[in-house]
Amino acid sequence: MSNNILSQIFNQIAAGEFISGEEIGQVLGVSRSAVSQNIKKLQSMGLDIYRVTGKGYKLAQSIKLLDSEKLLQNDGIENCNVLFAVDSTNTFLLNKIKSGCIQEGEVAVAECQLAGKGRRGRQWQSPIGSHIYFSKYVSLEDGLSAASALSLAVGVAVAKTCQRFSNERVQLKWPNDVLVNGEKLAGVLVEAEGQSDGRCHLVVGIGINVSMPDLTASAIEQAWTDLYKLNGNQPVDRNQVIKLLNEELEKVIAIYKSERLSNLYNDWNQLNAFKNLPIELRSTSTVNKGNCIGIDDTGALLYNDIESNKVKKVFGGEISLRRAT
Ligand code: BTN
């Protein structure tokens, strides 16, 4: 099944009006049965579409498509790959790094990810036309040691961007989950390609929930929210969010490159969802409890440990943080 036909059908039905299989087939020069097979494929990619006999296909909600012209020209993302369906926008850029044809700051966004990646090996639900799947290439001097705290800085940019569309307070959960009232709105996954010393090549991946389809919602285990709800049940234009997100990221990455977290850690602490609250930190072998303080300028999380009554620090890695009851 070609991506080209799929994307053309997707474009035809995005406006949310009824359109018959025959009409779609005529425009694209394919049979009605080919249309019906492609519609099934789009459904398997998370598209909420139904069919009424005698009227044709219709989307449950119209979709404003990613607009490559708008993203590239007017809004000035210098290098933006606007993709239809891709395994993962992160993997797309990681492959471009490997092949040596990538520009600093290059961006990839997609309508759909077929194998979206979350942190700690989890899957990231990426239904078609619903959310933001955004990746950006960043190279840093000083090897991977400089990369570890970048995701905290990125979290600040994502939270600030989302706040522009939210009537409620957007906050961060260490290291970089973006939450509203404890529900997940967005996540960050930074991946590295290549050597561990010298210049390091990173892909910063960001997923933001914009308008969650019912079918996908039932497959997500943790509490979630989306920009549609936070914007008073009003549609949010993904193109506008992407433009602002890229601007915030450019600012924050420039600051991070010149001074790391020396000042950004204060911004992060302002957004800390668990400030002064009881927390539990779990690794594979230990559980520590305490009161959350915030991060320091290396990106470590500080907390008052209940057992020892001392301030303790944890660094990234396989530690999970949750609010203690
Ligand atoms: C998390 O688990 O919180 C991180 C989620 C990161 C998802 C984004 S979507 C764009 C980019 N491509 C991926 O495959 N993952 C990241």
Side-chain angles (χ1 to χ4, degrees):
M1 211 167 277
S2 101
N3 246 357
N4 199 15
I5 295 197
L6 273 180
S7 70
Q8 289 186 53
I9 295 182
F10 178 63
N11 290 353
Q12 273 187 294
I13 56 180
E17 303 297 334
F18 271 110
I19 180 162
S20 71
E22 197 176 350
E23 202 180 330
I24 298 175
Q26 267 169 9
V27 175
L28 301 184
V30 296
S31 68
R32 273 171 63 177
S33 95
V35 171
S36 136
Q37 274 176 25
N38 278 282
I39 294 273
K40 282 197 188 114
K41 173 77 185 159
L42 288 169
Q43 278 172 325
S44 76
M45 290 158 78
L47 194 67
D48 201 350
I49 186 169
Y50 61 94
R51 186 170 158 263
V52 174
T53 315
K55 284 182 143 186
Y57 299 102
K58 189 177 185 313
L59 288 185
Q61 258 189 347
S62 65
I63 291 174
K64 195 160 186 326
L65 300 169
L66 295 179
D67 183 341
S68 52
E69 263 175 40
K70 200 169 173 219
L71 289 169
L72 279 160
Q73 292 165 9
N74 309 345
D75 296 341
I77 303 183
E78 223 174 285
N79 272 297
C80 188
N81 302 272
V82 183
L83 310 165
F84 173 63
V86 67
D87 45 1
S88 148
T89 51
N90 267 24
T91 310
F92 178 85
L93 289 187
L94 288 167
N95 286 336
K96 287 200 83 175
I97 298 172
K98 276 189 213 150
S99 63
C101 62
I102 193 153
Q103 307 280 321
E104 185 67 36
E106 189 162 333
V107 166
V109 289
E111 288 287 7
C112 174
Q113 294 187 119
L114 303 169
K117 298 181 277 186
R119 287 181 62 231
R120 309 160 124 234
R122 293 199 194 102
Q123 194 191 355
W124 186 256
Q125 295 288 340
S126 309
I128 187 165
S130 307
H131 300 322
I132 289 171
Y133 318 116
F134 175 106
S135 299
K136 189 172 180 70
Y137 167 61
V138 179
S139 77
L140 291 178
E141 285 166 10
D142 304 338
L144 284 180
S145 63
S148 56
L150 175 68
S151 71
L152 290 143
V154 168
V156 170
V158 180
K160 282 188 178 168
T161 306
C162 291
Q163 189 62 69
R164 308 268 287 261
F165 301 88
S166 170
N167 297 327
E168 311 224 15
R169 199 159 161 229
V170 179
Q171 294 183 303
L172 290 169
K173 180 186 127 182
W174 186 85
N176 49 28
D177 276 352
V178 181
L179 306 179
V180 173
N181 298 324
E183 297 175 329
K184 185 144 168 173
L185 171 63
V188 178
L189 173 70
V190 177
E191 294 185 279
E193 171 58 44
Q195 71 280 18
S196 56
D197 54 359
R199 182 161 280 275
C200 77
H201 302 276
L202 303 170
V203 173
V204 170
I206 296 161
I208 303 178
N209 296 336
V210 177
S211 179
M212 187 71 82
D214 292 344
L215 273 175
T216 311
S218 55
I220 300 180
E221 278 164 12
Q222 73 189 129
W224 58 268
T225 188
D226 61 18
L227 290 182
Y228 176 83
K229 262 198 240 172
L230 299 169
N231 191 38
N233 290 339
Q234 293 302 314
V236 168
D237 180 358
R238 289 175 299 157
N239 297 293
Q240 206 192 342
V241 182
I242 289 169
K243 171 194 177 245
L244 295 174
L245 174 64
N246 192 58
E247 282 171 11
E248 281 297 341
L249 281 171
E250 295 270 338
K251 276 190 238 162
V252 157
I253 290 167
I255 297 173
Y256 186 81
K257 280 184 174 175
S258 75
E259 53 171 56
R260 302 288 181 246
L261 292 181
S262 344
N263 288 299
L264 283 170
Y265 85 99
N266 284 319
D267 295 8
W268 196 98
N269 283 331
Q270 301 279 329
L271 294 162
N272 181 7
F274 289 174
K275 190 174 178 174
N276 298 329
L277 292 174
I279 54 167
E280 201 176 275
L281 288 151
R282 280 177 186 264
S283 72
T284 38
S285 52
T286 58
V287 180
N288 290 301
K289 289 186 174 190
N291 268 341
C292 183
I293 300 173
I295 62 166
D296 66 12
D297 61 0
T298 68
L301 182 75
L302 308 179
Y303 68 101
N304 282 307
D305 186 62
I306 286 187
E307 211 176 275
S308 62
N309 205 19
K310 285 190 176 139
V311 173
K312 285 199 172 173
K313 262 187 202 191
V314 281
F315 296 90
E318 294 303 295
I319 290 171
S320 83
L321 166 68
R322 63 171 71 162
R323 173 118 190 243
T325 42

